[in-house]
Structure formats: structure tokens, C-alpha cells
Amino acid sequence: MYQHRTNIAIILCLFSSLTFIPMACSSGVRESPSSSEDKRQSTPQELPKMLERPNLKGFEQPKFQIGDEMIAYQMNWRRPQSGELLQKLEGAVKLLSDDKDLAFFEKENLLKTVLERENAGSWIQLPNSPLFIKYDTSFNEIRIINEEREAQADFTKVLGEDAIKKQAELYLKQLAENQVIDYQLYETAAMQLGYAMVGSGSFSQKVQPAQITSFRITYRPRLNGVELANAGIRMGINLAGVLTSLRVGGVSPEGEWKNGSLQSNIPNSRRKIAVTTNDLMSKFYNEKLQDGEVQVSYSKVMYAMPEGKSEAIVEPLLVISYSDLRTVDNHPVVSRRKTLAYSLTNPEAQPLDFDKPRVQHEGTEPLRKN
């Protein structure tokens, strides 16, 4: 019988906060001058690093200028048919298990158990295995953790950033070969590098330098150069380049692929930009600074599903993640993270509020329930 070597709660916390709307990313939006400049606060934390993929050298973001066209798509949180979903799960498990375990899983029909309705949304540990698996029907996401691999951290063999990036690209192609993903959706995806780290301290408050224990590679699909907020892949890769955890899935854009581009299948899919991102940022600041200071974590043009919708027609929006800063009894108070999204095609439209209906937790991301 496989014995636990680590606290699984710690491992799950590494994944539980991600909903593929990035927790931090570079703005891509130049802030316009304001008379209330002194009230703006920048995020003090170091942002995750965006990596250049080998096949995307020289990639440039769209300029989002007035008169430019953007494309809207029908999107949905769709649970695949049982056979297709099982095939995706089997393909993902192959990257995190050995052949002996795979044969045992198939013989006992264990992966089907994970996908049963009563188990949806719950972590299931496969018998005699270090694998923990969860299928989230709300987000159409498969999540897998190999606890044994997560616990291994050989600090004598640490791959460099280029080697880790190369390894992640190999895993991405294997996911496509195993029919877990459609590679066309990820061929131009954004790639982001993060880390899992540990540090140490003492009662004398002397903190030792943090030690990287594993890498976190995130892929977010791009449609016409615009990132898709609610879909992607998160890979946990240990210091030796071995895949330790995987999270894959999310919203599905509809259309037909032609010459490497997804053609929208809705009428009037082409929309013209009527307001610049700079003007929208000024509008945001002018509204929010009336009530006090505001701290922006990121602002970026993205495809983002409206809150509480299982399907919708989605066009690129300026997504702004921020916190309110207030002073109460002479003490600074920072609100939890909030998210608004502004239309680039209709200057008069009210922003979408990703915290309505109000979330039921104090996290950094809105909780989606269909």
C-alpha cells in the first residue's frame, strides 16, 4: 500500500487558487496621466515571468486602436461526452504514471470512478497509487497530482529556465498526442513561469534565502493574439524536469479552424474598437478614486466569460484586477482582490463585475458556479 509522505493539504493549496484568470500578469496597457496620480498604487510583488516560446519569436500583441476589428466567439463551460472525457483523463494520467499503474487502473476501471457524478468536484486518491485526481464539472477541468513526485526535491540536479521551458513544450505536445488538448488552440498560447518555494526562519527573525522546490508553467490560449482568461494548462515540474502535477481544461470557444485561426460561427462576429484602453483606464481611476485609493494588480485585454454564465457570446474586454485601499481608525485596510471588465466596442456599457453574485470566500479569484 502506498504511504503518504507529505501533507496533501499543502499540495492542494498550490492549485486551489487558480481559475486561469491570471493572478498577476503584465499590464500591456499604458496608464494615462491623472490629477490623482499620487493615489495610484502599484503592486509591490514580483510578477510571474512571461516566456518567449520557440515558435513565437517576435510575437507582438494587438495594438487595440480605435477602428481596429476584434472577433467575438460563442463560448461555453461544456462537459464532454463520457467517452471523450474518459479518453482525455486517460491521456493526462499517462504523463503522470508508469505503465504498471496504468494497466492496474484500466483493469479496475478506476478512472471511470473519478468521473462519476457523485465524485465530481472531489479529490479522489487512486488505490495503491500516489495519484490524486479531480474533475471539476463547473470549469470542465481535469486536475492531477502525483504526490510522490511532488515530495521529491533533488537540489543537486536543477535544470535551468531554458531546459524547463523545453521540457514543458514536450509535455504540451504529448498532451496533444494523447488527445487531451487540441494543439491548434495552444500553438500560439502565452507561456508563464512561476515557482513553488520554501524558506526558513528562526525566533531571532533571521530568514534564510528561499529555495525553489519546483517550477510552475502556465499556458493560456490566444485567439487572434488575445489571451483567453478562462482556459489553460498549469504544469508542475520538479527541479529535474519531471511532471509532478497537471491542471487542464476550461471554457471552450466554438468555431472552425482554418489556416491556424479559429473562425467564429456567430453572426456579426467582427466588432470595431470604439474606445482606447488608456481612456478606459482613466475612466476606471476617475470612478474608483472618488472613494479612496486603489491598487491595480493587472490590467489586460482578454476574452473573459461573464460571471455566472454557462455559455455566452464573448468579445475581448479590458480586464482590471484591483484592491481598494482605505484608512480605518488611522490604520490602512486593503480589500480582497476585485475584478472588472470594460467593453472596447461600446464606451457607454457598464463594466462587468466578476464579484456579482458576491463570492462566498475571501480569495483572489471569483468563484464560478453554474
Side-chain angles (χ1 to χ4, degrees):
M1 176 66 70
Y2 174 79
Q3 299 295 323
H4 292 289
R5 296 188 188 179
T6 59
N7 185 346
I8 188 63
I10 295 176
I11 295 174
L12 301 190
C13 285
L14 294 175
F15 267 55
S16 61
S17 62
L18 176 72
T19 51
F20 290 122
I21 287 182
M23 295 179 66
C25 60
S26 58
S27 144
V29 177
R30 182 172 53 85
E31 297 176 0
S32 56
S34 167
S35 58
S36 303
E37 191 79 25
D38 58 324
K39 289 190 175 183
R40 301 183 185 184
Q41 302 290 327
S42 60
T43 305
Q45 66 190 35
E46 183 179 351
L47 301 180
K49 184 177 183 180
M50 301 301 296
L51 301 180
E52 182 178 62
R53 297 179 61 193
N55 62 322
L56 295 178
K57 291 187 181 298
F59 174 84
E60 294 185 1
Q61 295 282 355
K63 302 300 183 183
F64 305 114
Q65 297 176 341
I66 291 179
D68 289 350
E69 286 190 335
M70 302 187 302
I71 300 178
Y73 294 91
Q74 180 77 32
M75 299 187 186
N76 61 73
W77 302 99
R78 180 181 66 86
R79 177 188 171 109
Q81 297 294 323
S82 297
E84 179 186 356
L85 184 55
L86 180 60
Q87 183 182 53
K88 289 179 180 293
L89 180 57
E90 290 173 344
V93 167
K94 285 181 181 179
L95 272 67
L96 287 138
S97 299
D98 56 33
D99 293 338
K100 181 180 178 181
D101 284 341
L102 289 171
F104 175 71
F105 299 157
E106 183 175 349
K107 178 182 177 182
E108 301 295 329
N109 289 323
L110 293 180
L111 297 184
K112 288 184 178 179
T113 303
V114 176
L115 300 177
E116 292 176 354
R117 292 286 180 177
E118 57 268 26
N119 292 327
S122 300
W123 284 99
I124 305 295
Q125 183 182 16
L126 299 186
N128 303 314
S129 167
L131 290 191
F132 285 77
I133 303 178
K134 176 181 178 180
Y135 176 69
D136 193 324
T137 55
S138 298
F139 305 144
N140 183 29
E141 286 179 357
I142 294 171
R143 310 184 195 184
I144 308 174
I145 295 174
N146 186 314
E147 188 186 31
E148 189 173 48
R149 293 184 185 179
E150 281 273 10
Q152 297 170 347
D154 183 1
F155 298 109
T156 64
K157 183 180 180 182
V158 182
L159 296 184
E161 181 180 300
D162 290 341
I164 289 295
K165 182 168 66 172
K166 183 178 180 181
Q167 198 65 32
E169 290 288 318
L170 290 176
Y171 290 135
L172 184 69
K173 290 181 179 178
Q174 288 178 335
L175 287 172
E177 292 169 358
N178 293 353
Q179 299 183 343
V180 180
I181 63 170
D182 183 346
Y183 189 76
Q184 295 177 102
L185 187 59
Y186 287 91
E187 191 166 10
T188 61
M191 186 183 195
Q192 190 176 53
L193 173 67
Y195 308 93
M197 308 180 75
V198 295
S200 60
S202 66
F203 288 110
S204 63
Q205 296 182 346
K206 292 182 179 179
V207 180
Q208 301 299 320
Q211 174 69 59
I212 296 174
T213 59
S214 62
F215 299 92
R216 294 290 182 262
I217 297 290
T218 301
Y219 288 95
R220 272 191 303 277
R222 290 188 181 110
L223 296 174
N224 311 299
V226 180
E227 289 181 24
L228 181 55
N230 310 105
I233 300 169
R234 163 73 59 89
M235 299 178 186
I237 301 176
N238 69 16
L239 303 179
V242 177
L243 187 68
T244 62
S245 57
L246 180 68
R247 184 171 181 176
V248 56
V251 71
S252 300
E254 298 181 5
E256 180 180 356
W257 288 97
K258 290 183 179 179
N259 300 320
S261 177
L262 185 64
Q263 307 298 309
S264 180
N265 58 7
I266 65 170
N268 303 316
S269 62
R270 293 187 175 274
R271 317 273 177 91
K272 286 192 176 183
I273 295 177
V275 59
T276 67
T277 54
N278 287 335
D279 288 340
L280 289 176
M281 287 300 300
S282 293
K283 179 180 180 180
F284 166 81
Y285 278 118
N286 289 336
E287 292 175 350
K288 293 301 175 182
L289 293 180
Q290 293 180 10
D291 300 321
E293 298 180 17
V294 65
Q295 175 177 291
V296 173
S297 298
Y298 69 83
S299 57
K300 196 166 192 176
V301 176
M302 309 181 81
Y303 287 96
M305 281 284 285
E307 188 66 24
K309 298 287 187 181
S310 59
E311 61 179 343
I313 293 176
V314 182
E315 64 181 41
L317 303 168
L318 177 62
V319 179
I320 304 174
S321 180
Y322 68 99
S323 299
D324 293 317
L325 306 180
R326 302 289 184 267
T327 300
V328 178
D329 296 331
N330 295 319
H331 294 287
V333 177
V334 182
S335 74
R336 61 176 172 77
R337 192 83 62 84
K338 302 177 182 180
T339 307
L340 293 176
Y342 288 81
S343 171
L344 280 81
T345 61
N346 183 1
E348 305 304 320
Q350 291 297 311
L352 294 179
D353 188 343
F354 285 91
D355 292 320
K356 291 184 178 180
R358 195 60 58 187
V359 297
Q360 300 301 312
H361 69 298
E362 289 296 316
T364 57
E365 298 293 343
L367 178 65
R368 291 175 171 77
K369 289 189 176 181
N370 297 331

